[in-house]
Amino acid sequence: MRVAVVGVQGDVAEHVTAVERAAASRGHAVEATAVRNAGVVPDCDAVALPGGESTTISRLLHRRDIAPELVAHVEAGKPLFATCAGLIVAARDARDSRVETLDVLDVAVDRNAFGRQRDSFESRLDVAGLDDPFPAVFIRAPAVADVGPDVEVLATVDGQPVAVREGPVVGLAFHPELTDDFRLHDVALFDPLAGD
Ligand code: GLN
């Protein structure tokens, strides 16, 4: 099994570690690969699209021809785990013309939705499908402003969706890779492959 961690911007080592730990907990032999160029995603069973700066990430994904590979990946029903800026890039509408989204998740998002007062914060979040709260780290996080009919809301903060699922795509407004808790990597990347 091969998992791509899109690494067009910055270091994605924490995501690679979380993917490997989640895989090990299931007894899967998984190769997690940081992807910076076209040609790798088509060979992968699942993809993580990490955070960073959504304007930069979307520009690089299109310039390097990775964007159409990600769209084809989701159209083939394979898991995509999009976190923070990754959620913004995956969305139908980023409400910001500088972000050319992939439109693989039927939501509109508001970038930096939690304002200056709450630029970064942590929250023990109740997430549908998890038995115990998840330690969610929010950093200049987006919120989901508008949810399409096939999108399931998994968690909210102040009534705003911050975790959603639509078919093989899970989107989070926060950074699951910044804690030791790999449950959401596990659910998003490996549950669909197991046919759960
Ligand atoms: N604020 C960033 C953006 O709008 C997202 C921040 C993040 O990924 N932590 O792209």
Side-chain angles (χ1 to χ4, degrees):
M1 208 177 272
R2 209 168 168 204
V3 177
V5 178
V6 175
V8 290
Q9 188 198 32
D11 187 15
V12 293
E14 292 93 345
H15 269 289
V16 170
T17 302
V19 169
E20 288 173 348
R21 292 183 63 207
S25 77
R26 290 200 183 216
H28 291 334
V30 162
E31 189 193 335
T33 316
V35 172
R36 298 190 173 82
N37 293 296
V40 183
V41 167
D43 289 334
C44 288
D45 302 290
V47 175
L49 183 58
E53 192 59 39
S54 52
T55 51
T56 305
I57 294 170
S58 72
R59 191 173 64 244
L60 291 173
L61 289 178
H62 285 92
R63 189 184 293 168
R64 297 186 189 173
D65 285 333
I66 302 170
E69 295 182 346
L70 293 171
V71 173
H73 175 89
V74 173
E75 282 174 353
K78 297 188 205 168
L80 177 73
F81 186 33
T83 63
C84 205
L87 162 65
I88 299 169
V89 171
R92 164 173 43 82
D93 183 2
R95 296 185 165 175
D96 184 331
S97 59
R98 291 169 299 169
V99 184
E100 193 182 338
T101 66
L102 299 173
D103 192 10
V104 292
L105 178 60
D106 188 12
V107 298
V109 294
D110 282 330
R111 299 182 60 207
N112 305 323
F114 292 94
R116 281 206 191 143
Q117 297 291 324
R118 300 179 74 193
D119 223 19
S120 300
F121 61 98
E122 290 188 36
S123 170
R124 290 192 64 74
L125 202 61
D126 286 322
V127 181
L130 299 185
D131 290 339
D132 300 307
F134 191 90
V137 179
F138 292 81
I139 303 170
R140 297 183 63 233
V144 175
D146 179 46
V147 175
D150 296 328
V151 176
E152 183 188 354
V153 174
L154 305 176
T156 57
V157 168
D158 300 340
Q160 291 175 287
V162 292
V164 291
R165 178 199 290 279
E166 184 185 15
V169 182
V170 172
L172 307 181
F174 49 93
H175 286 263
E177 80 285 9
L178 295 182
T179 65
D180 284 341
D181 194 324
F182 55 81
R183 286 178 294 165
L184 287 173
H185 284 79
D186 185 45
V187 167
L189 294 168
F190 299 124
D191 264 3
L193 297 177
D196 291 356

